[in-house]
Amino acid sequence: MTELRELLIILVSSSIVSNVVLSQFLGLCPFLGVSKKVNTAAGMGTALIFVITLSSTVAGVIYQYILVPNHIEYLQTIVFILVIAALVQFVEMVLKKYMKALYEALGVYLPLITTNCAVLGVALTNVQKEYGIVTGIVNGFATALGFTISIVILAGLREKMAYNDVPESFQGMPIVLLTAGLMAIAFCGFSGLL
């Protein structure tokens, strides 16, 4: 029961309290670039959930069963980057074959998941906090879920802002950055939760 409680705390903490985008400021490139439409943002979030969860699993297994026993933990960053790159290529091939519209909507941001610091940050956080494989998977899923929540909220706000009269100096990216900053302040309200 204690382990289930710990996993639930990690789930809530990683997705809302320590949101990867709004609290840790990781993964801002796709957060700002793909958040123009809710459908595209949800697709990016889903792809990221898949990649981060799977990369947390594979990276945790490789770290625990290959790197640590052979005392080559110093190779963790290189190994994690290779794992992430392979998984992103897999996701890209699947989307290109089965979800052509989403593949085209994500455009250049899909391959950029490989260099998304949020994905690598989760793998390194799992090692730094000495999470086991199951705990690392939950942390990865929760972090990606938090990214998805924040990007979908921002996309919804951006769709609504398109119908508003925004002063000329704030049009485009300035209003998006201001909105993201206000969202970050709102998410800071959860900081005392856990």
Side-chain angles (χ1 to χ4, degrees):
M1 193 66 168
T2 304
E3 184 161 321
L4 184 62
R5 183 172 183 257
E6 180 184 331
L7 292 177
L8 186 61
I9 288 171
I10 290 172
L11 183 72
V12 172
S13 174
S14 294
S15 60
I16 296 175
V17 177
S18 299
N19 188 285
V20 70
V21 177
L22 300 173
S23 296
Q24 299 175 17
F25 306 112
L26 297 174
L28 289 174
C29 179
F31 177 70
L32 297 173
V34 185
S35 60
K36 292 178 183 160
K37 295 184 178 181
V38 172
N39 293 342
T40 310
M44 178 61 150
T46 304
L48 207 65
I49 286 173
F50 179 75
V51 169
I52 289 181
T53 305
L54 207 54
S55 69
S56 295
T57 305
V58 174
V61 169
I62 289 173
Y63 182 79
Q64 196 165 25
Y65 294 111
I66 296 174
L67 299 180
V68 172
N70 293 312
H71 305 291
I72 52 174
E73 295 94 340
Y74 58 89
L75 293 175
Q76 70 187 12
T77 304
I78 295 169
V79 171
F80 294 166
I81 289 172
L82 291 173
V83 166
I84 292 164
L87 290 172
V88 169
Q89 288 300 311
F90 175 71
V91 168
E92 191 172 3
M93 288 187 302
V94 168
L95 287 180
K96 190 173 186 179
K97 183 161 178 101
Y98 297 109
M99 299 176 191
K100 191 82 169 165
L102 180 59
Y103 173 78
E104 290 172 2
L106 292 176
V108 70
Y109 293 100
L110 184 59
L112 283 177
I113 292 176
T114 304
T115 58
N116 187 338
C117 52
V119 182
L120 181 60
V122 170
L124 294 174
T125 299
N126 290 343
V127 170
Q128 181 184 21
K129 292 187 176 182
E130 298 178 357
Y131 287 157
I133 294 173
V134 174
T135 311
I137 293 169
V138 170
N139 182 49
F141 174 78
T143 301
L145 182 66
F147 179 89
T148 304
I149 290 168
S150 58
I151 196 172
V152 168
I153 290 172
L154 182 63
L157 291 171
R158 285 181 77 173
E159 283 184 358
K160 297 291 183 189
M161 282 189 295
Y163 300 109
N164 291 335
D165 187 26
V166 178
E168 187 177 339
S169 59
F170 282 105
Q171 289 178 359
M173 195 51 67
I175 194 71
V176 174
L177 291 172
L178 185 63
T179 304
L182 292 172
M183 284 176 59
I185 291 170
F187 271 69
C188 282
F190 295 113
S191 63
L193 187 65
L194 296 174

